Amino acid sequence: MASDSGTRTLISQAQLQRGKGKFVYWTLLGLTVLIFTLVFIGPLYWMVTGALKSGQEIAQTPPSLFPQHPETKNYADAWSNLNLAKLMFNTFYYAVGAVFFQLVFDTAAAYALSKLRPIFGNVVLALMLATLMIPAMVVIVPQYVTAIDLPFVHASLLDSPWAIWLPLVANAFNIFLLKRFFDSIPEDLIAAAMVDGASPLRTLWSIILPMSRPILGVVSIFAVTYVWKDFLWPKLVMPSPETRTLSVGIYAFSGGTPMNVVVAASVIAAIPTVVIFLIFQRNIMSGLTAGSVKG
């Protein structure tokens, strides 16, 4: 039975008010929230507090819960010793390029599959979605072989931003996400644009894209966070110190750098993605849940 507010729940209000139901419910809810909070926040807390500890304190067993003598200079040492400014610039540059190329090519592919409907379009979409079932580690070797000797042109992409941009362009998940959103746009709008003489490209630019800002924002955020956190692929294709990304650069310096400084560098590296999420969290949720256009 629905409650007074009209919302159906697993446990009715009458059961919650009867006997120990209310106590058991809030106890289980509190424990669940506490456990998940510790699981997700615990590593972040250890990272932030570890960056304020001395080298001896961060290595001691068992680890201390709070820094005994907080050392904020660890962040300054990490910024200068690990050359984080250069690493951040490289990563930001790769992320901007990834966003641009994904928005251009993935949007065009999704628009073609959704509205232009070419021959064998469903077969192409099915084959793209099938690639999502392949583990990422399986394609690392063929991707690397392709990057060191690009077919037809026989050029090496090592230490080139194209080695990061090109594999990210063909993103089956983003194409499917964009296609599903484009499918929700009424065909009447497309037909009206065609009657007015608009070409398919003009229709995409003037009608589809302005209505697709939420999902385009989601795709952009996914591209930025993926480039920012990726480690294995940039490590393979960016061997030069001048072209390394943030995660690869921190790893490269971790061998001869005190652990507390490395942890401080990790905190600095995590700040941009956390800020992006906090600013655009509403856009992420609205873009992922948008599936229809109100008339």
Side-chain angles (χ1 to χ4, degrees), residues 82-210:
L82 275 65
N83 197 15
L84 291 184
K86 175 62 175 177
L87 297 176
M88 275 194 170
F89 174 81
N90 291 345
T91 309
F92 180 76
Y93 175 64
Y94 301 147
V96 170
V99 170
F100 174 77
F101 288 113
Q102 283 198 16
L103 288 182
V104 171
F105 292 101
D106 290 359
T107 299
Y111 174 67
L113 293 171
S114 175
K115 299 303 181 184
L116 302 183
R117 296 174 183 172
I119 301 176
F120 303 119
N122 290 333
V123 176
V124 173
L125 179 63
L127 291 176
M128 285 195 302
L129 294 179
T131 61
L132 297 177
M133 303 297 106
I134 303 175
M137 293 298 102
V138 175
V139 298
I140 285 291
V141 173
Q143 275 189 354
Y144 183 74
V145 173
T146 303
I148 61 178
D149 187 14
L150 199 63
F152 303 109
V153 297
H154 299 290
S156 175
L157 298 181
L158 296 184
D159 284 327
S160 169
W162 293 103
I164 292 180
W165 293 340
L166 289 181
L168 292 179
V169 168
N171 192 307
F173 177 76
N174 286 343
I175 294 175
F176 176 72
L177 202 63
L178 289 165
K179 179 187 179 299
R180 293 290 295 175
F181 188 91
F182 294 164
D183 289 341
S184 67
I185 297 178
E187 294 291 340
D188 294 342
L189 296 176
I190 311 299
M194 294 177 61
V195 171
D196 291 338
S199 64
L201 183 60
R202 178 70 177 179
T203 302
L204 173 63
W205 181 261
S206 300
I207 296 178
I208 302 296
L209 293 184

Side-chain angles (χ1 to χ4, degrees), residues 237-255:
V237 298
M238 297 295 178
S240 174
E242 289 76 19
T243 59
R244 287 171 178 165
T245 61
L246 198 56
S247 57
V248 176
I250 293 175
Y251 170 79
F253 285 103
S254 61

Side-chain angles (χ1 to χ4, degrees), residues 1-293:
M1 181 180 296
S3 61
D4 295 338
S5 61
T7 303
R8 293 182 178 273
T9 59
L10 293 175
I11 303 176
S12 65
Q13 292 294 329
Q15 290 176 314
L16 287 177
Q17 299 298 334
R18 187 184 308 138
K20 299 181 179 179
K22 189 173 183 178
F23 172 78
V24 173
Y25 171 78
W26 287 108
T27 301
L28 292 177
L29 179 62
L31 289 175
T32 302
V33 172
L34 178 62
I35 291 173
F36 277 92
T37 300
L38 293 176
V39 169
F40 289 104
I41 303 299
L44 294 177
Y45 173 81
W46 184 91
M47 183 174 65
V48 173
T49 57
L52 297 173
K53 297 177 181 179
S54 63
Q56 295 79 7
E57 186 178 1
I58 198 173
Q60 72 181 20
T61 304
S64 58
L65 192 59
F66 304 100
Q68 297 177 357
H69 303 286
E71 299 181 359
T72 56
K73 70 179 184 65
N74 292 338
Y75 290 99
D77 293 341
W79 183 265
S80 58
N81 296 345
L82 275 65
N83 197 15
L84 291 184
K86 175 62 175 177
L87 297 176
M88 275 194 170
F89 174 81
N90 291 345
T91 309
F92 180 76
Y93 175 64
Y94 301 147
V96 170
V99 170
F100 174 77
F101 288 113
Q102 283 198 16
L103 288 182
V104 171
F105 292 101
D106 290 359
T107 299
Y111 174 67
L113 293 171
S114 175
K115 299 303 181 184
L116 302 183
R117 296 174 183 172
I119 301 176
F120 303 119
N122 290 333
V123 176
V124 173
L125 179 63
L127 291 176
M128 285 195 302
L129 294 179
T131 61
L132 297 177
M133 303 297 106
I134 303 175
M137 293 298 102
V138 175
V139 298
I140 285 291
V141 173
Q143 275 189 354
Y144 183 74
V145 173
T146 303
I148 61 178
D149 187 14
L150 199 63
F152 303 109
V153 297
H154 299 290
S156 175
L157 298 181
L158 296 184
D159 284 327
S160 169
W162 293 103
I164 292 180
W165 293 340
L166 289 181
L168 292 179
V169 168
N171 192 307
F173 177 76
N174 286 343
I175 294 175
F176 176 72
L177 202 63
L178 289 165
K179 179 187 179 299
R180 293 290 295 175
F181 188 91
F182 294 164
D183 289 341
S184 67
I185 297 178
E187 294 291 340
D188 294 342
L189 296 176
I190 311 299
M194 294 177 61
V195 171
D196 291 338
S199 64
L201 183 60
R202 178 70 177 179
T203 302
L204 173 63
W205 181 261
S206 300
I207 296 178
I208 302 296
L209 293 184
M211 301 178 66
S212 306
R213 290 176 182 174
I215 196 64
L216 294 178
V218 171
V219 171
S220 301
I221 293 171
F222 283 172
V224 171
T225 55
Y226 183 85
V227 173
W228 207 271
K229 71 180 182 180
D230 195 17
F231 173 77
L232 180 58
W233 182 247
K235 187 177 187 302
L236 293 174
V237 298
M238 297 295 178
S240 174
E242 289 76 19
T243 59
R244 287 171 178 165
T245 61
L246 198 56
S247 57
V248 176
I250 293 175
Y251 170 79
F253 285 103
S254 61
T257 306
M259 183 56 62
N260 54 341
V261 177
V262 175
V263 175
S266 301
V267 174
I268 297 175
I271 290 176
T273 53
V274 174
V275 171
I276 289 175
F277 174 78
L278 293 177
I279 294 176
F280 298 103
Q281 57 179 327
R282 289 189 176 182
N283 301 75
I284 296 175
M285 297 307 300
S286 63
L288 291 176
T289 57
S292 63
V293 178

